[in-house]
Amino acid sequence: APIGIFTTQVAALGSIGPQRLVAGKPKRRANDIGREGELLVLDLENEAIEVSYPGKGWLAQDYTAKRGIGFDIESIFHSEPTLNGTPHRIEVKSTVRVTKPDLRNAMTPDGFTLTRSEKQAVDTYKETYSIYRVYIYAGGYDIHILRNPADLNQKKIMNFVPDTWSADYLPSAIPTHYQIIEETV
């Protein structure tokens, strides 16, 4: 059989367009989900501050772009009489779910990850630090406020597990007989 009968001309395939998504929305990236939760908490904090301290012009500050400080928002306590008017550092941890969470009846604990600077902030700020656990789901959101996680850890109702490690090294860690590979573009 001649070879020609087993070949297909590209033109015979017709135009092949990009594949389209038939149903649903594009997936949210983790950064987008986190930002969504942070903006939600920022708005809620600012509403609560205005109700508690009308006319003072106080606002919660968005520190998400400031790396290494260990919290996303610096607000003002507005619902704890012994701390009212003092700074409140808030770390926001967000998750998107299909359904509303029912953690009070859950059989397993809920979890999230903390960076090294977030864990240091937990230990530094103690009673003036909170983690706002935000669940965004179809039809709404839930926010679980974990006040003073350092104290919750001490009471054994929150557990910090070092499951990731940061590795810092000095140049002396590189053996002298190894060449540093450099590539300039």
Side-chain angles (χ1 to χ4, degrees), residues 21-170:
L21 189 60
V22 177
K25 292 189 263 180
K27 283 196 178 288
R28 292 173 170 139
R29 289 182 311 201
N31 293 10
D32 298 336
I33 294 166
R35 190 63 184 147
E36 201 173 328
E38 292 158 359
L39 292 173
L40 174 65
V41 170
L42 192 63
D43 286 347
L44 292 171
E45 282 296 306
N46 280 325
E47 287 173 24
I49 290 170
E50 184 53 40
V51 167
S52 298
Y53 307 103
K56 291 220 186 246
W58 292 350
L59 289 172
Q61 300 299 307
D62 182 355
Y63 285 118
T64 53
K66 198 165 187 170
R67 296 197 110 9
I69 62 171
F71 55 89
D72 295 316
I73 296 167
E74 186 172 67
S75 186
I76 300 164
F77 278 101
H78 47 77
S79 58
E80 292 190 31
T82 59
L83 294 170
N84 280 356
T86 61
H88 184 193
R89 283 85 180 189
I90 300 168
E91 175 59 30
V92 180
K93 296 294 179 182
S94 305
T95 298
V96 170
R97 296 173 47 111
V98 175
T99 59
K100 180 178 173 59
D102 183 15
L103 297 182
R104 294 196 191 276
N105 295 315
M107 299 309 254
T108 58
D110 185 38
F112 49 85
T113 57
L114 291 177
T115 65
R116 177 170 47 178
S117 58
E118 290 163 357
K119 176 61 170 84
Q120 287 172 338
V122 163
D123 297 332
T124 300
Y125 298 114
K126 295 183 181 357
E127 67 276 352
T128 62
Y129 190 91
S130 297
I131 297 171
Y132 282 35
R133 187 72 172 102
V134 178
Y135 298 91
I136 301 165
Y137 53 88
Y141 61 86
D142 282 11
I143 300 175
H144 301 169
I145 298 173
L146 303 166
R147 285 283 302 112
N148 192 352
D151 186 53
L152 297 175
N153 183 51
Q154 207 164 26
K155 291 176 178 170
K156 304 290 184 221
I157 52 179
M158 183 175 217
N159 187 24
F160 293 107
V161 178
D163 60 354
T164 59
W165 298 94
S166 178
D168 299 327
Y169 69 94
L170 296 171

Side-chain angles (χ1 to χ4, degrees), residues 8-29:
T8 304
Q9 297 295 318
V10 173
L13 296 174
S15 68
I16 300 171
Q19 200 171 8
R20 292 185 338 168
L21 189 60
V22 177
K25 292 189 263 180
K27 283 196 178 288
R28 292 173 170 139
R29 289 182 311 201

